[in-house]
Amino acid sequence: MFMTRILIRNCHQKAAKEIERASNILVMAGAGLSTPSGIPDFRTPGSGVYDNLKKFNLPYPEAIFDIRYFRSKPEPFYEWAKEFFPGVNYQPNDAHWFIKRLHDHQKLLRLFTQNIDGLERITDLPDEKLVFAHGSFSTASCTFCGSNADIDTVKASILKDEVPYCTQCSGLVKPDIVFFGENLPIRFFTLQDADPELADLLICIGTSLEVYPFANLADLVPDNVVRVLINRDTVGSFGRRKSDIILNGDIIDIVHKLEKEINW
Ligand code: OAD
């Protein structure tokens, strides 16, 4: 018991030292970053989105975010979006502010996020520091002709339980979040090629690393770059490199410990 506690403490100290040393930190984030804000993640058994879609009678849980399924039956996605439209119900938590603090201390190279809740923006991180790998709710477009649609009008329709249609071609309109079967934004691929070489530390926080190509980013940093995982479970290839630092536990507890060590 005593040994375990020493090891865990040493691990946080080690991670804190790495953060103090680094000046180009590449952060990759997933839905676990926002669970402390009250937004469920996708794959945690019981509370995750995919375990709570029974009322929609989907052929498989991910269908709710699958472009082919959406084209035939868009209502489940709109009903989900009504609850989770950014700015409606949720605020950033201490882990979002921890990432903002990395930026304030000139340590953040980039935050690649899979999250579409937009909470990173509310912390005032500049757009240049952000990569919304799975898109965002800040714009919308037609899934048929690609025309841009006014996001406020789309939001108003969704909140009124109305399906938003394109004013040009009457196709289905949705916020520009990336569905399964759609391409990630070009910005993701451009910076995925450039940033790993510039990074001097990688922090991966709140993701199962189950979805590609995002998950690949963790393996693109060179072997001499230390990787820190902040997550309940050990995921992806973490643990395979000797210098990996794995901080298992609750994200908020972990960032509080790190901030205490760093004296922020
Ligand atoms: P997942 O739900 O797959 O993974 C979230 C991870 O965060 C899990 O490993 C959880 O154990 C962990 N976690 C959650 N809350 C935590 C907490 N408070 N403290 C510590 N760990 C916690 O979510 P993502 O990896 O983001 O894509 O999922 C990736 C993509 O799959 C999403 O962007 C979405 C989804 O399908 C699309 O819809 C295209």
Side-chain angles (χ1 to χ4, degrees):
M1 183 66 183
F2 184 61
M3 274 303 287
T4 310
R5 275 175 42 208
I6 284 178
L7 278 176
I8 290 169
R9 178 164 170 72
N10 280 347
C11 228
H12 286 90
Q13 269 181 344
K14 213 168 146 191
K17 284 215 169 76
E18 289 295 334
I19 293 168
E20 285 180 298
R21 172 197 56 79
S23 56
N24 262 334
I25 305 177
L26 199 161
V27 180
M28 38 189 309
L33 177 64
S34 295
T35 59
S37 297
I39 303 175
D41 65 10
F42 294 92
R43 293 179 181 81
T44 292
S47 61
V49 170
Y50 292 147
D51 251 5
N52 289 284
L53 298 170
K54 285 192 185 74
K55 65 175 171 176
F56 296 124
N57 224 356
L58 300 163
Y60 55 98
E62 287 89 347
I64 195 165
F65 304 117
D66 187 301
I67 193 66
R68 276 159 304 176
Y69 183 80
F70 173 81
R71 287 196 173 114
S72 64
K73 204 171 176 221
E75 292 83 4
F77 167 72
Y78 290 127
E79 198 173 322
W80 174 86
K82 183 180 175 182
E83 167 74 17
F84 293 106
F85 223 107
V88 178
N89 293 321
Y90 303 100
Q91 291 302 317
N93 62 59
D94 286 356
H96 292 99
W97 290 110
F98 167 73
I99 298 170
K100 172 64 165 41
R101 210 154 281 146
L102 296 177
H103 170 65
D104 293 341
H105 287 81
Q106 282 91 43
K107 288 178 178 292
L108 183 68
L109 170 63
R110 208 85 59 193
L111 167 58
F112 283 72
T113 182
Q114 295 166 98
N115 297 345
I116 50 177
D117 53 45
L119 295 184
E120 303 86 352
R121 274 219 175 93
I122 303 180
T123 65
D124 272 343
L125 269 178
D127 277 355
E128 174 246 323
K129 291 286 170 186
L130 287 165
V131 178
F132 289 98
H134 292 169
S136 82
F137 274 92
S138 56
T139 57
S141 56
C142 174
T143 56
F144 187 70
C145 74
S147 299
N148 292 334
D150 176 50
I151 187 66
D152 292 329
T153 313
V154 172
K155 181 175 178 178
S157 299
I158 292 175
L159 295 183
K160 277 190 288 179
D161 293 320
E162 288 170 6
V163 172
Y165 290 107
C166 178
T167 51
Q168 310 292 314
C169 75
S170 303
L172 287 167
V173 168
K174 72 167 180 58
D176 291 330
I177 62 176
V178 178
F179 275 28
F180 293 109
E182 291 188 304
N183 285 328
L184 274 64
I186 290 169
R187 179 174 166 76
F188 170 80
F189 292 105
T190 309
L191 291 171
Q192 177 198 243
D193 286 345
D195 282 352
E197 292 297 323
L198 301 173
D200 57 8
L201 183 68
L202 177 112
I203 298 179
C204 179
I205 182 163
T207 172
S208 60
L209 291 180
E210 293 259 337
V211 174
Y212 286 79
F214 185 89
N216 209 24
L217 199 55
D219 297 315
L220 292 179
V221 292
D223 280 351
N224 62 340
V225 172
V226 173
R227 309 187 303 174
V228 177
L229 175 69
I230 301 176
N231 208 52
R232 197 170 284 138
D233 344 282
T234 302
V235 292
S237 63
F238 276 90
R240 282 196 212 137
R241 295 189 189 182
K242 260 194 189 152
S243 57
D244 286 347
I245 300 174
I246 296 172
L247 306 178
N248 288 139
D250 180 72
I251 284 169
I252 297 296
D253 288 348
I254 296 169
V255 299
H256 284 168
K257 279 183 189 149
L258 291 174
E259 291 188 333
K260 200 169 162 212
E261 291 285 351
I262 303 169
N263 226 348
W264 278 351

